[in-house]
Amino acid sequence: MIVDEAQKHRLKEYGINIKTKYKADDKILERNTDCSKNDNIKQGIILEKDYYSKTLLKKEKDFDSRILYTYEFNESKNIKCNNCGAISDINTIDDHCPYCNSSFNIEYNSKELGSKHYYDLIIKDKTYIIKTYIMDFVISFIISSIYIISTSRTFYFFDILKIVVATVLISLLLFYVFYYLDALILLPSLKRKKELQNQNQKDFFYELSKKNLDKITFYNNLLYELRELYYSDKYKNIIDFDIIDYNSFKLIEKNNNIYVDVSVDIRIIEYKNQKIVSKRTDKKYRMLWARQNDFLSPGENQIKCHNCSSSIDVREQKCKYCGTKINYYQQWYLDKELD
Ligand SMILES: [Zn+2]
Ligand SMILES: [Zn+2]
């Protein structure tokens, strides 16, 4: 499949296999990058990813159940070549007609590389506990200062020490109480922030739909582009990545172009010195809508060069025979990485 190609190539280079467990329709399904097992998945969630070299290197279990994946492929199918008319079994060919070598450009019949389906109030604020402790500490400091200053007739260095000790002690005691209290104090503001964020995302996809642009296509194109980016020579060590959450989408119309700035929380998996290194980070990308492109359809796509009408392999940048540059085959492509 076209979308899997770039990562497969990278994993082969390092001799790594990724086994992903999905849950769909109350069944546990599995897909392996070494093709030993590739179940069809329909709107599944990821439960776990295991990274193997010769042995198990790492297990990853932190995935969001609001992000869905679909990989559907019709394995019992014969493809008819539009060029020479030969019929071949989809399982025995390597993306090319075995008789005339015409490219089939095979895609999944249906795919979702990670669309976010629900917008709800899962609060994943990493700074939550820290904020609580800081607030707790400040209040403890005020209490102990007021108490010590008002009860001591003079104010010496020793009193400062007393304030420090009292602050630490009271803050430790209060932390437990505060942990529950901030359900009342901090949570509403986080919730409001989250509600706003969700509303903005809903508005964004509503705006897209008014332009007849589809949500799943947008997610698929974004993720396809990220695969092409992260498995390119620019990032030599990246073997996998997962979007943990989509933070925001911003629609920008400029010079007759439609751009979208996407901000994500992403986990990037690198292979360095025989070790798997995983890091979570915020990233921003600018996507550009390709107005006039021919788009790839599900299943096989036999495409002819506009210039010499020879068969086109869309993974190549230009026609193999006459060198004509190939148009993009997606609706959206990556314009640039922002910060
Ligand atoms: Zn053929
Ligand atoms: Zn050509």
Side-chain angles (χ1 to χ4, degrees):
M1 306 301 127
I2 292 161
V3 288
D4 298 330
E5 203 81 357
Q7 187 183 21
K8 251 185 194 161
H9 198 261
R10 174 63 48 90
L11 292 171
K12 212 174 164 188
E13 219 176 288
Y14 289 120
I16 289 180
N17 175 32
I18 307 172
K19 180 175 170 175
T20 309
K21 280 182 198 152
Y22 294 85
K23 189 176 174 216
D25 291 335
D26 286 325
K27 273 187 287 227
I28 307 287
L29 300 164
E30 194 179 303
R31 290 180 69 82
N32 296 320
T33 54
D34 66 0
C35 295
S36 55
K37 192 171 185 199
N38 273 331
D39 289 325
N40 274 342
I41 313 280
K42 196 175 179 188
Q43 297 220 310
I45 58 169
I46 295 185
L47 299 175
E48 184 181 321
K49 274 188 173 182
D50 299 340
Y51 297 85
Y52 291 92
S53 157
K54 286 181 184 74
T55 54
L56 178 66
L57 298 175
K58 192 179 170 63
K59 265 182 202 284
E60 192 64 70
K61 286 187 171 177
D62 180 19
F63 296 95
D64 195 321
S65 58
R66 293 169 301 170
I67 294 180
L68 299 186
Y69 301 82
T70 295
Y71 296 97
E72 283 189 305
F73 177 61
N74 186 1
E75 277 173 47
S76 55
K77 201 186 166 193
N78 289 323
I79 294 186
K80 187 177 178 215
C81 174
N82 289 338
N83 186 41
C84 71
I87 291 171
S88 32
D89 177 356
I90 207 160
N91 294 299
T92 60
I93 50 158
D94 179 27
D95 209 29
H96 287 90
C97 170
Y99 301 96
C100 71
N101 208 32
S102 188
S103 288
F104 286 139
N105 298 304
I106 300 170
E107 256 300 16
Y108 289 102
N109 295 64
S110 169
K111 66 169 193 269
E112 258 184 86
L113 305 176
S115 314
K116 185 174 168 183
H117 273 254
Y118 306 106
Y119 300 99
D120 52 22
L121 293 171
I122 295 177
I123 291 164
K124 283 196 168 179
D125 196 320
K126 286 158 266 176
T127 59
Y128 188 63
I129 300 282
I130 298 164
K131 277 183 192 160
T132 303
Y133 192 74
I134 290 171
M135 229 169 69
D136 167 27
F137 202 83
V138 168
I139 291 179
S140 306
F141 178 77
I142 294 167
I143 294 172
S144 50
S145 302
I146 290 172
Y147 181 73
I148 288 162
I149 292 168
S150 66
T151 52
S152 52
R153 265 168 279 166
T154 48
F155 193 74
Y156 293 118
F157 175 71
F158 184 62
D159 293 303
I160 297 172
L161 265 182
K162 274 203 279 188
I163 291 176
V164 172
V165 172
T167 302
V168 173
L169 285 176
I170 296 172
S171 70
L172 287 174
L173 278 170
L174 279 183
F175 187 69
Y176 198 65
V177 179
F178 264 66
Y179 193 74
Y180 288 99
L181 262 185
D182 53 38
L184 297 171
I185 301 160
L186 280 176
L187 271 178
S189 78
L190 282 174
K191 263 188 181 159
R192 267 196 299 279
K193 194 178 140 201
K194 201 74 194 168
E195 264 161 21
L196 190 70
Q197 188 185 333
N198 288 341
Q199 194 53 51
N200 286 341
Q201 295 194 10
K202 280 181 196 161
D203 292 347
F204 165 75
F205 284 110
Y206 179 65
E207 286 300 314
L208 273 197
S209 72
K210 281 203 295 195
K211 296 177 191 300
N212 278 328
L213 296 169
D214 156 64
K215 177 174 162 177
I216 291 175
T217 307
F218 179 80
Y219 279 118
N220 282 347
N221 289 178
L222 168 67
L223 283 148
Y224 175 77
E225 288 290 279
L226 295 187
R227 286 171 181 223
E228 293 294 307
L229 171 73
Y230 286 129
Y231 308 132
S232 72
D233 287 344
K234 191 177 174 188
Y235 297 99
K236 289 256 182 215
N237 294 311
I238 297 182
I239 56 158
D240 196 22
F241 67 87
D242 282 292
I243 302 285
I244 302 299
D245 201 0
Y246 297 89
N247 300 325
S248 70
F249 302 95
K250 197 173 151 206
L251 200 61
I252 302 161
E253 291 182 66
K254 201 168 69 182
N255 304 331
N256 220 12
N257 282 324
I258 299 175
Y259 299 93
V260 174
D261 285 357
V262 189
S263 153
V264 299
D265 180 3
I266 189 171
R267 178 172 51 230
I268 288 170
I269 311 279
E270 289 182 295
Y271 188 60
K272 279 181 183 163
N273 310 318
Q274 271 83 51
K275 278 204 186 89
I276 302 270
V277 185
S278 122
K279 86 176 173 225
R280 226 174 123 157
T281 165
D282 289 331
K283 281 277 187 187
K284 261 191 176 170
Y285 313 96
R286 176 163 292 174
M287 299 294 287
L288 172 60
W289 183 47
R291 225 169 262 272
Q292 287 113 354
N293 284 356
D294 306 320
F295 304 126
L296 283 181
S297 335
E300 69 270 19
N301 295 269
Q302 280 194 278
I303 301 162
K304 284 188 169 165
C305 170
H306 292 300
N307 183 41
C308 72
S309 72
S310 53
S311 159
I312 294 276
D313 183 338
V314 297
R315 288 161 299 185
E316 284 161 22
Q317 306 294 310
K318 54 188 182 194
C319 169
K320 258 195 296 211
Y321 302 93
C322 73
T324 302
K325 209 173 168 289
I326 297 172
N327 270 350
Y328 234 78
Y329 290 98
Q330 298 201 95
Q331 292 191 17
W332 295 92
Y333 60 93
L334 184 67
D335 187 45
K336 58 183 168 195
E337 290 178 83
L338 306 166
D339 58 68

